[in-house]
Protein backbone atom coordinates (compact mmCIF):
# COMPACT_ATOMS: atom_id res chain seq x y z
CA UNK A 1 0.00 0.00 0.00
CA UNK A 2 1.21 3.50 -0.83
CA UNK A 3 1.46 5.72 2.21
CA UNK A 4 -0.07 8.84 0.72
CA UNK A 5 0.30 10.87 3.91
CA UNK A 6 4.05 10.22 3.86
CA UNK A 7 4.22 11.11 0.16
CA UNK A 8 2.35 14.32 0.89
CA UNK A 9 4.94 15.17 3.54
CA UNK A 10 7.76 14.97 0.99
CA UNK A 11 5.93 17.22 -1.45
CA UNK A 12 6.65 20.85 -2.22
CA UNK A 13 3.19 21.57 -0.83
CA UNK A 14 4.07 20.16 2.58
CA UNK A 15 7.43 21.86 2.73
CA UNK A 16 5.91 25.25 1.83
CA UNK A 17 3.10 24.69 4.34
CA UNK A 18 5.52 23.78 7.13
CA UNK A 19 7.55 26.95 6.43
CA UNK A 20 4.43 29.11 6.31
CA UNK A 21 3.15 27.66 9.60
CA UNK A 22 6.53 28.20 11.22
CA UNK A 23 6.45 31.88 10.23
CA UNK A 24 2.77 32.58 10.91
CA UNK A 25 1.45 30.69 13.95
CA UNK A 26 0.87 33.49 16.49
CA UNK A 27 3.56 33.47 19.15
CA UNK A 28 1.01 34.37 21.80
CA UNK A 29 -1.08 31.29 20.96
CA UNK A 30 1.94 28.99 20.87
CA UNK A 31 3.15 30.09 24.29
CA UNK A 32 0.01 30.98 26.25
CA UNK A 33 -3.00 29.28 24.67
CA UNK A 34 -4.01 27.46 27.84
CA UNK A 35 -4.03 30.69 29.84
CA UNK A 36 -5.78 33.12 27.45
CA UNK A 37 -9.10 34.79 28.31
CA UNK A 38 -11.89 33.31 26.20
CA UNK A 39 -12.46 36.51 24.22
CA UNK A 40 -8.82 36.82 23.22
CA UNK A 41 -8.64 33.13 22.30
CA UNK A 42 -11.73 33.49 20.09
CA UNK A 43 -10.27 36.56 18.38
CA UNK A 44 -6.99 34.76 17.64
CA UNK A 45 -8.89 31.77 16.24
CA UNK A 46 -11.04 34.00 14.00
CA UNK A 47 -7.99 35.87 12.78
CA UNK A 48 -6.29 32.54 12.05
CA UNK A 49 -9.17 31.48 9.80
CA UNK A 50 -8.66 34.65 7.75
CA UNK A 51 -4.90 34.11 7.55
CA UNK A 52 -5.45 30.57 6.30
CA UNK A 53 -7.68 31.88 3.54
CA UNK A 54 -5.32 34.70 2.52
CA UNK A 55 -2.42 32.24 2.31
CA UNK A 56 -4.43 29.67 0.27
CA UNK A 57 -4.75 27.04 3.00
CA UNK A 58 -8.54 27.17 3.42
CA UNK A 59 -10.63 24.59 1.61
CA UNK A 60 -7.59 22.67 0.37
CA UNK A 61 -9.58 19.68 -0.85
CA UNK A 62 -12.60 21.64 -2.10
CA UNK A 63 -12.94 22.14 -5.87
CA UNK A 64 -11.46 25.36 -7.32
CA UNK A 65 -14.76 26.30 -8.95
CA UNK A 66 -16.21 26.67 -5.44
CA UNK A 67 -13.31 28.70 -4.08
CA UNK A 68 -11.23 25.81 -2.76
CA UNK A 69 -7.68 24.86 -3.72
CA UNK A 70 -8.60 21.77 -5.78
CA UNK A 71 -6.12 19.51 -3.96
CA UNK A 72 -6.92 16.13 -2.34
CA UNK A 73 -7.67 14.74 1.10
CA UNK A 74 -3.99 13.79 1.22
CA UNK A 75 -2.94 17.47 1.33
CA UNK A 76 -5.79 18.35 3.69
CA UNK A 77 -4.66 15.66 6.13
CA UNK A 78 -0.98 16.56 5.76
CA UNK A 79 -1.78 20.20 6.51
CA UNK A 80 -3.84 19.22 9.55
CA UNK A 81 -0.91 17.24 10.95
CA UNK A 82 1.62 19.98 10.16
CA UNK A 83 -0.62 22.64 11.73
CA UNK A 84 -0.95 20.57 14.90
CA UNK A 85 2.83 20.07 15.04
CA UNK A 86 3.29 23.84 14.65
CA UNK A 87 0.76 24.36 17.49
CA UNK A 88 -1.50 26.41 15.23
CA UNK A 89 -4.86 27.66 16.56
CA UNK A 90 -7.91 25.55 15.88
CA UNK A 91 -9.92 27.98 13.74
CA UNK A 92 -13.60 28.64 14.41
CA UNK A 93 -14.49 28.11 10.73
CA UNK A 94 -13.72 24.39 11.03
CA UNK A 95 -17.33 23.14 11.12
CA UNK A 96 -18.23 25.27 8.11
CA UNK A 97 -15.20 24.07 6.17
CA UNK A 98 -15.30 20.38 7.07
CA UNK A 99 -19.07 19.81 7.33
CA UNK A 100 -21.20 22.50 5.67
CA UNK A 101 -19.05 23.16 2.59
CA UNK A 102 -18.72 19.53 1.37
CA UNK A 103 -22.42 18.99 2.12
CA UNK A 104 -23.40 21.98 -0.02
CA UNK A 105 -21.08 20.88 -2.82
CA UNK A 106 -22.97 17.59 -3.06
CA UNK A 107 -26.53 18.67 -2.18
CA UNK A 108 -26.73 22.49 -2.35
CA UNK A 109 -28.17 24.67 -5.09
CA UNK A 110 -25.93 26.96 -7.13
CA UNK A 111 -27.43 29.91 -5.27
CA UNK A 112 -26.63 28.33 -1.87
CA UNK A 113 -23.04 27.61 -2.90
CA UNK A 114 -22.58 31.19 -4.14
CA UNK A 115 -24.05 32.61 -0.94
CA UNK A 116 -22.47 30.36 1.69
CA UNK A 117 -19.16 28.95 0.44
CA UNK A 118 -17.13 32.20 0.15
CA UNK A 119 -17.70 33.36 3.77
CA UNK A 120 -17.02 29.82 5.05
CA UNK A 121 -13.69 29.69 3.24
CA UNK A 122 -12.80 33.28 4.14
CA UNK A 123 -13.56 32.56 7.80
CA UNK A 124 -16.05 35.42 8.06
CA UNK A 125 -19.09 33.23 8.89
CA UNK A 126 -18.92 30.63 11.63
CA UNK A 127 -21.10 27.50 11.61
CA UNK A 128 -22.34 25.01 14.13
CA UNK A 129 -23.85 21.55 13.63
CA UNK A 130 -27.39 21.13 14.98
CA UNK A 131 -27.88 17.36 14.84
CA UNK A 132 -27.95 15.89 18.40
CA UNK A 133 -30.93 16.27 20.70
CA UNK A 134 -31.55 15.01 24.23
CA UNK A 135 -33.34 11.94 22.81
CA UNK A 136 -31.49 11.67 19.51
CA UNK A 137 -27.70 11.28 19.51
CA UNK A 138 -26.67 7.83 18.36
CA UNK A 139 -30.23 7.39 17.12
CA UNK A 140 -30.03 10.45 14.88
CA UNK A 141 -33.08 9.40 12.87
CA UNK A 142 -35.11 10.09 16.03
CA UNK A 143 -34.67 13.88 15.70
CA UNK A 144 -37.77 15.65 17.04
CA UNK A 145 -36.98 19.34 16.46
CA UNK A 146 -39.92 20.41 14.26
CA UNK A 147 -39.95 22.39 11.01
CA UNK A 148 -43.47 23.54 10.14
CA UNK A 149 -44.27 24.85 6.69
CA UNK A 150 -45.29 28.51 6.59
CA UNK A 151 -45.47 31.02 3.75
CA UNK A 152 -42.02 31.34 2.13
CA UNK A 153 -40.29 28.88 4.44
CA UNK A 154 -40.48 26.96 7.71
CA UNK A 155 -40.75 27.67 11.42
CA UNK A 156 -38.31 25.73 13.61
CA UNK A 157 -39.20 24.79 17.20
CA UNK A 158 -37.28 22.42 19.44
CA UNK A 159 -34.03 21.75 21.23
CA UNK A 160 -30.52 20.77 20.19
CA UNK A 161 -27.75 19.75 22.57
CA UNK A 162 -23.94 19.43 22.63
CA UNK A 163 -23.79 22.03 19.83
CA UNK A 164 -20.09 22.90 19.49
CA UNK A 165 -19.27 26.60 18.86
CA UNK A 166 -22.99 27.54 19.08
CA UNK A 167 -22.11 30.66 21.06
CA UNK A 168 -20.01 32.01 18.17
CA UNK A 169 -22.00 30.64 15.26
CA UNK A 170 -23.65 32.79 12.61
CA UNK A 171 -25.35 29.79 11.02
CA UNK A 172 -26.43 26.28 11.95
CA UNK A 173 -26.54 23.20 9.73
CA UNK A 174 -29.78 22.00 11.26
CA UNK A 175 -31.51 18.64 10.95
CA UNK A 176 -35.25 18.89 11.69
CA UNK A 177 -38.42 16.85 11.28
CA UNK A 178 -40.67 18.16 8.50
CA UNK A 179 -43.29 15.42 8.61
CA UNK A 180 -44.11 13.65 11.86
CA UNK A 181 -46.27 11.11 10.05
CA UNK A 182 -43.73 10.10 7.41
CA UNK A 183 -41.67 6.89 7.87
CA UNK A 184 -38.30 7.06 9.65
CA UNK A 185 -35.48 8.41 7.45
CA UNK A 186 -38.03 10.08 5.13
CA UNK A 187 -39.32 12.62 7.64
CA UNK A 188 -36.21 14.82 8.04
CA UNK A 189 -34.88 17.86 6.21
CA UNK A 190 -31.63 19.85 6.42
CA UNK A 191 -31.63 23.63 6.86
CA UNK A 192 -29.08 26.45 6.79
CA UNK A 193 -30.43 28.41 9.74
CA UNK A 194 -29.47 31.98 10.68
CA UNK A 195 -28.51 31.84 14.38
CA UNK A 196 -28.62 35.62 14.86
CA UNK A 197 -32.37 36.07 15.03
CA UNK A 198 -35.07 36.22 17.70
CA UNK A 199 -36.19 32.86 19.06
CA UNK A 200 -32.68 31.33 19.22
CA UNK A 201 -31.55 30.85 22.84
CA UNK A 202 -28.06 29.52 23.56
CA UNK A 203 -27.22 28.09 26.99
CA UNK A 204 -23.50 27.19 27.31
CA UNK A 205 -22.72 23.82 28.94
CA UNK A 206 -19.75 23.78 31.31
CA UNK A 207 -17.51 20.76 30.83
CA UNK A 208 -15.69 18.79 33.51
CA UNK A 209 -12.39 20.03 32.02
CA UNK A 210 -13.49 23.65 32.69
CA UNK A 211 -14.23 24.77 29.11
CA UNK A 212 -17.58 25.67 27.54
CA UNK A 213 -16.97 24.18 24.13
CA UNK A 214 -20.62 23.45 23.44
CA UNK A 215 -24.16 24.55 24.33
CA UNK A 216 -27.80 23.64 24.44
CA UNK A 217 -29.80 25.59 21.85
CA UNK A 218 -33.55 26.28 21.95
CA UNK A 219 -35.47 27.30 18.85
CA UNK A 220 -38.80 29.00 19.38
CA UNK A 221 -40.59 29.47 16.04
CA UNK A 222 -37.42 30.51 14.25
CA UNK A 223 -37.85 31.25 10.55
CA UNK A 224 -35.85 29.62 7.74
CA UNK A 225 -36.68 30.51 4.15
CA UNK A 226 -37.31 28.00 1.38
CA UNK A 227 -33.93 29.06 -0.05
CA UNK A 228 -32.30 27.74 3.13
CA UNK A 229 -33.62 24.19 2.71
CA UNK A 230 -30.85 21.85 1.47
CA UNK A 231 -31.84 19.50 -1.34
CA UNK A 232 -35.55 18.74 -1.03
CA UNK A 233 -37.97 18.30 1.85
CA UNK A 234 -37.69 14.77 3.29
CA UNK A 235 -34.09 14.22 2.06
CA UNK A 236 -32.44 15.26 5.36
CA UNK A 237 -31.24 11.77 6.27
CA UNK A 238 -29.39 11.38 2.96
CA UNK A 239 -27.87 14.87 3.33
CA UNK A 240 -26.84 14.12 6.94
CA UNK A 241 -25.01 10.96 5.82
CA UNK A 242 -22.84 13.11 3.51
CA UNK A 243 -22.11 15.45 6.42
CA UNK A 244 -21.19 12.60 8.77
CA UNK A 245 -18.92 10.93 6.22
CA UNK A 246 -16.91 14.15 6.05
CA UNK A 247 -16.94 14.58 9.84
CA UNK A 248 -15.42 11.14 10.38
CA UNK A 249 -12.69 11.59 7.75
CA UNK A 250 -8.97 11.76 8.49
CA UNK A 251 -8.56 15.52 9.04
CA UNK A 252 -9.51 15.48 12.73
CA UNK A 253 -7.57 12.24 13.30
CA UNK A 254 -4.39 13.75 11.83
CA UNK A 255 -4.27 16.57 14.37
CA UNK A 256 -5.25 14.16 17.16
CA UNK A 257 -2.39 11.87 16.14
CA UNK A 258 0.04 14.71 16.86
CA UNK A 259 -1.46 15.26 20.31
CA UNK A 260 -1.45 11.53 21.09
CA UNK A 261 2.16 11.18 19.89
CA UNK A 262 3.20 14.09 22.14
CA UNK A 263 1.44 12.48 25.13
CA UNK A 264 3.05 9.13 24.29
CA UNK A 265 6.50 10.73 24.13
CA UNK A 266 5.92 12.37 27.51
CA UNK A 267 4.91 9.00 28.93
CA UNK A 268 8.10 7.42 27.55
CA UNK A 269 10.16 10.24 29.07
CA UNK A 270 8.46 9.71 32.42
CA UNK A 271 8.51 5.91 32.70
CA UNK A 272 10.48 4.58 29.71
CA UNK A 273 13.27 3.28 31.97
CA UNK A 274 10.96 1.27 34.19
CA UNK A 275 11.14 -2.42 33.15
CA UNK A 276 7.80 -3.15 34.91
CA UNK A 277 6.01 -0.94 32.36
CA UNK A 278 8.01 -1.87 29.27
CA UNK A 279 5.32 -4.12 27.72
CA UNK A 280 2.49 -1.64 28.28
CA UNK A 281 4.51 1.26 26.87
CA UNK A 282 5.68 -0.73 23.85
CA UNK A 283 2.07 -1.67 23.09
CA UNK A 284 0.83 1.94 23.38
CA UNK A 285 3.74 3.21 21.31
CA UNK A 286 3.07 0.69 18.51
CA UNK A 287 -0.62 1.57 18.46
CA UNK A 288 0.21 5.27 18.21
CA UNK A 289 1.97 4.61 14.91
CA UNK A 290 -0.90 2.36 13.87
CA UNK A 291 -3.16 5.43 14.08
CA UNK A 292 -0.98 7.21 11.56
CA UNK A 293 -0.94 4.16 9.32
CA UNK A 294 -4.74 3.93 9.45
CA UNK A 295 -5.02 7.63 8.50
CA UNK A 296 -2.90 6.88 5.41
CA UNK A 297 -5.16 3.96 4.62
CA UNK A 298 -8.32 6.09 4.88
CA UNK A 299 -6.78 8.76 2.64
CA UNK A 300 -5.86 6.09 0.12
CA UNK A 301 -9.51 4.96 0.03
CA UNK A 302 -11.05 8.43 -0.21
CA UNK A 303 -12.70 7.79 -3.58
CA UNK A 304 -14.45 4.61 -2.49
CA UNK A 305 -17.27 5.70 -0.13
CA UNK A 306 -17.96 2.24 1.32
CA UNK A 307 -14.28 1.47 2.02
CA UNK A 308 -13.70 4.98 3.34
CA UNK A 309 -16.52 4.62 5.89
CA UNK A 310 -15.05 1.29 7.04
CA UNK A 311 -11.52 2.69 7.35
CA UNK A 312 -12.61 5.84 9.21
CA UNK A 313 -14.79 3.89 11.67
CA UNK A 314 -11.78 1.74 12.59
CA UNK A 315 -9.63 4.88 12.78
CA UNK A 316 -12.04 6.66 15.16
CA UNK A 317 -12.09 3.72 17.59
CA UNK A 318 -8.31 3.32 17.35
CA UNK A 319 -7.29 6.89 18.12
CA UNK A 320 -9.98 7.79 20.67
CA UNK A 321 -9.54 4.70 22.86
CA UNK A 322 -5.74 4.75 22.57
CA UNK A 323 -5.66 8.39 23.73
CA UNK A 324 -7.83 7.49 26.72
CA UNK A 325 -5.48 4.63 27.67
CA UNK A 326 -2.36 6.79 27.34
CA UNK A 327 -3.81 9.58 29.48
CA UNK A 328 -5.01 7.05 32.08
CA UNK A 329 -1.50 5.60 32.41
CA UNK A 330 -0.02 9.11 32.36
CA UNK A 331 -2.24 10.33 35.18
CA UNK A 332 -1.61 7.19 37.24
CA UNK A 333 2.18 7.46 37.03
CA UNK A 334 2.62 11.21 36.77
CA UNK A 335 5.36 13.19 38.44
CA UNK A 336 4.14 16.31 40.33
CA UNK A 337 5.38 18.65 37.60
CA UNK A 338 3.22 16.95 34.94
CA UNK A 339 0.09 16.45 37.04
CA UNK A 340 -1.85 19.41 35.57
CA UNK A 341 -1.04 18.33 32.03
CA UNK A 342 -2.26 14.75 32.57
CA UNK A 343 -5.36 15.88 34.43
CA UNK A 344 -6.44 18.10 31.52
CA UNK A 345 -5.58 15.48 28.89
CA UNK A 346 -7.32 12.72 30.84
CA UNK A 347 -10.53 14.75 31.06
CA UNK A 348 -10.36 16.01 27.46
CA UNK A 349 -9.82 12.52 26.08
CA UNK A 350 -13.00 11.16 27.73
CA UNK A 351 -15.18 12.89 25.12
CA UNK A 352 -13.20 11.45 22.19
CA UNK A 353 -15.09 8.14 22.21
CA UNK A 354 -18.42 10.03 22.15
CA UNK A 355 -18.33 12.85 19.57
CA UNK A 356 -18.70 12.11 15.85
CA UNK A 357 -20.37 8.82 16.77
CA UNK A 358 -19.58 6.81 19.90
CA UNK A 359 -17.21 3.83 19.99
CA UNK A 360 -20.21 1.49 20.30
CA UNK A 361 -21.75 2.95 17.14
CA UNK A 362 -18.42 2.69 15.29
CA UNK A 363 -18.18 -0.95 16.43
CA UNK A 364 -21.69 -1.57 15.10
CA UNK A 365 -20.54 -0.22 11.73
CA UNK A 366 -17.35 -2.33 11.85
CA UNK A 367 -19.24 -5.50 12.79
CA UNK A 368 -21.78 -5.06 9.99
CA UNK A 369 -19.70 -3.53 7.21
CA UNK A 370 -16.20 -4.87 7.84
CA UNK A 371 -16.84 -8.25 9.50
CA UNK A 372 -20.18 -8.90 7.78
CA UNK A 373 -21.89 -9.96 11.02
CA UNK A 374 -25.70 -10.03 11.12
CA UNK A 375 -27.52 -7.06 12.74
C1 LIG B 1 -17.13 17.12 22.65
C2 LIG B 1 -18.44 16.85 21.94
C3 LIG B 1 -18.82 17.69 20.92
C4 LIG B 1 -20.04 17.47 20.27
N1 LIG B 1 -20.44 18.35 19.29
C5 LIG B 1 -21.62 18.17 18.68
C6 LIG B 1 -22.08 19.13 17.71
O1 LIG B 1 -21.41 20.13 17.41
N2 LIG B 1 -23.28 18.92 17.14
C7 LIG B 1 -24.06 17.84 17.42
O2 LIG B 1 -25.11 17.71 16.82
N3 LIG B 1 -23.66 16.92 18.35
C8 LIG B 1 -22.47 17.07 18.98
N4 LIG B 1 -22.06 16.17 19.94
C9 LIG B 1 -22.96 15.10 20.34
C10 LIG B 1 -22.55 13.71 19.89
O3 LIG B 1 -22.72 13.54 18.51
C11 LIG B 1 -23.40 12.72 20.70
O4 LIG B 1 -23.05 12.87 22.06
C12 LIG B 1 -23.18 11.29 20.28
O5 LIG B 1 -23.69 11.06 19.00
C13 LIG B 1 -23.86 10.31 21.27
O6 LIG B 1 -25.19 10.63 21.47
P1 LIG B 1 -25.82 10.79 22.94
O7 LIG B 1 -24.92 11.69 23.71
O8 LIG B 1 -27.24 11.16 22.79
O9 LIG B 1 -25.69 9.37 23.62
P2 LIG B 1 -26.69 8.15 23.39
O10 LIG B 1 -26.97 7.99 21.94
O11 LIG B 1 -27.84 8.30 24.32
O12 LIG B 1 -25.79 6.95 23.84
C14 LIG B 1 -25.63 6.56 25.23
C15 LIG B 1 -24.79 5.30 25.26
O13 LIG B 1 -25.52 4.22 24.61
C16 LIG B 1 -24.75 3.67 23.57
N5 LIG B 1 -25.60 3.31 22.44
C17 LIG B 1 -26.59 4.04 21.90
N6 LIG B 1 -27.14 3.39 20.85
C18 LIG B 1 -26.47 2.23 20.71
C19 LIG B 1 -26.57 1.14 19.81
N7 LIG B 1 -27.45 1.13 18.80
N8 LIG B 1 -25.70 0.11 19.97
C20 LIG B 1 -24.77 0.11 20.97
N9 LIG B 1 -24.65 1.11 21.87
C21 LIG B 1 -25.48 2.16 21.74
C22 LIG B 1 -23.78 4.78 23.16
O14 LIG B 1 -22.64 4.27 22.52
C23 LIG B 1 -23.48 5.44 24.49
O15 LIG B 1 -22.46 4.72 25.16
C24 LIG B 1 -20.85 16.36 20.62
C25 LIG B 1 -20.44 15.50 21.65
C26 LIG B 1 -19.25 15.74 22.31
C27 LIG B 1 -18.85 14.81 23.42
Amino acid sequence: MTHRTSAAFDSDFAQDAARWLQDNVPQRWREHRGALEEQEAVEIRRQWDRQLFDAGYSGLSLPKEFGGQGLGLSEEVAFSELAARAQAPDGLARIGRILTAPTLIVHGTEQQRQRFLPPILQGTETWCQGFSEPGAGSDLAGVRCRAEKVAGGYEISGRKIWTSFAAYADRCLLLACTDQNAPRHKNLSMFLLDMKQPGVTISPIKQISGGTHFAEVHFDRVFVSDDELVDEEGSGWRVAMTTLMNERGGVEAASRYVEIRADMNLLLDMCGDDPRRADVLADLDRRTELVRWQISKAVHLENDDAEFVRATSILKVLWSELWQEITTVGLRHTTPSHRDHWRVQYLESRSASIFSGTSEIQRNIISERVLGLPR
Side-chain angles (χ1 to χ4, degrees):
M1 150 135 3
T2 321
H3 281 248
R4 304 237 335 244
T5 306
S6 309
F9 274 103
D10 296 335
S11 66
D12 289 346
F13 164 81
Q15 287 171 20
D16 289 348
R19 259 192 304 275
W20 182 82
L21 287 160
Q22 187 57 39
D23 293 343
N24 286 280
V25 169
Q27 190 82 355
R28 186 148 171 80
W29 182 269
R30 221 179 237 152
E31 290 172 4
H32 303 287
R33 65 183 179 283
L36 296 177
E37 290 292 325
E38 183 171 341
Q39 211 40 50
E40 185 182 2
V42 166
E43 203 30 62
I44 292 176
R45 294 169 76 184
R46 281 195 202 284
Q47 181 57 31
W48 182 246
D49 285 325
R50 289 171 200 155
Q51 277 177 261
L52 286 178
F53 176 75
D54 290 342
Y57 291 115
S58 176
L60 287 172
S61 59
L62 298 182
K64 279 194 168 161
E65 57 184 305
F66 300 124
Q69 300 298 320
L71 299 171
L73 183 60
S74 177
E75 283 79 8
E76 191 86 69
V77 162
F79 188 79
S80 179
E81 185 174 330
L82 289 167
R85 282 198 213 164
Q87 300 176 54
D90 180 15
L92 286 182
R94 186 160 57 99
I95 291 186
R97 275 204 306 267
I98 296 179
L99 304 188
T100 312
T103 303
L104 287 183
I105 285 170
V106 177
H107 300 284
T109 61
E110 191 49 38
Q111 189 200 7
Q112 287 170 342
R113 292 179 192 135
Q114 301 264 355
R115 159 65 186 85
F116 294 111
L117 293 182
I120 287 176
L121 294 176
Q122 290 156 14
T124 50
E125 265 182 8
T126 302
W127 284 72
C128 62
Q129 178 194 18
F131 283 22
S132 304
E133 297 178 7
S138 303
D139 181 22
L140 189 59
V143 155
R144 295 227 296 259
C145 184
R146 277 193 336 274
E148 271 180 36
K149 191 76 190 93
V150 294
Y154 296 80
E155 257 179 13
I156 309 289
S157 297
R159 194 150 68 110
K160 293 288 173 182
I161 196 160
W162 317 125
T163 318
S164 303
F165 305 134
Y168 316 114
D170 302 294
R171 291 260 160 191
C172 179
L173 186 65
L174 180 104
L175 191 61
C177 178
T178 28
D179 183 352
Q180 293 179 59
N181 299 316
R184 235 169 115 80
H185 301 124
K186 305 243 185 253
N187 55 348
L188 303 176
S189 303
M190 190 72 81
F191 296 97
L192 309 165
L193 181 138
D194 179 359
M195 291 285 281
K196 308 283 184 198
Q197 54 174 322
V200 179
T201 308
I202 298 163
S203 313
I205 300 172
K206 185 143 192 199
Q207 293 154 244
I208 195 168
S209 57
T212 46
H213 167 97
F214 42 37
E216 181 167 355
V217 186
H218 286 257
F219 300 97
D220 183 11
R221 302 182 65 189
V222 175
F223 184 72
V224 279
S225 72
D226 287 329
D227 293 341
E228 293 162 337
L229 166 69
V230 183
D231 204 285
E232 57 187 15
E233 194 181 298
S235 70
W237 182 255
R238 191 160 41 90
V239 178
M241 290 306 104
T242 300
T243 312
L244 291 180
M245 196 171 76
N246 284 288
E247 181 174 18
R248 293 171 189 167
V251 178
E252 165 94 15
S255 63
R256 297 298 179 158
Y257 160 77
V258 175
E259 192 165 6
I260 295 167
R261 174 39 74 198
D263 278 345
M264 188 62 225
N265 289 349
L266 179 58
L267 200 55
L268 288 168
D269 280 350
M270 276 172 25
C271 350
D273 295 336
D274 185 344
R276 290 167 304 168
R277 308 199 207 294
D279 285 351
V280 171
L281 293 183
D283 174 55
L284 294 174
D285 195 39
R286 259 195 304 273
R287 283 161 58 202
T288 302
E289 283 321 292
L290 197 56
V291 168
R292 195 159 190 243
W293 187 87
Q294 187 67 17
I295 295 171
S296 303
K297 185 170 177 183
V299 168
H300 185 66
L301 297 168
E302 70 168 308
N303 295 321
D304 181 332
D305 284 358
E307 288 288 349
F308 185 70
V309 168
R310 291 179 192 130
T312 52
S313 291
I314 294 171
L315 175 60
K316 176 74 197 322
V317 174
L318 265 181
W319 77 253
S320 57
E321 297 189 356
L322 172 66
W323 193 29
Q324 291 176 350
E325 282 181 55
I326 290 175
T327 57
T328 302
V329 177
L331 189 60
R332 188 173 302 142
H333 301 297
T334 188
T335 53
S337 60
H338 292 118
R339 183 161 292 121
D340 282 352
H341 171 84
W342 286 118
R343 205 164 47 79
V344 170
Q345 296 298 85
Y346 176 87
L347 293 174
E348 283 292 336
S349 64
R350 298 306 106 180
S351 67
S353 56
I354 301 173
F355 62 70
S356 308
T358 66
S359 279
E360 289 78 11
I361 295 302
Q362 305 303 334
R363 283 197 165 84
N364 285 350
I365 296 172
I366 294 165
S367 66
E368 283 166 31
R369 301 193 202 172
V370 180
L371 304 175
L373 300 176
R375 295 199 88 178

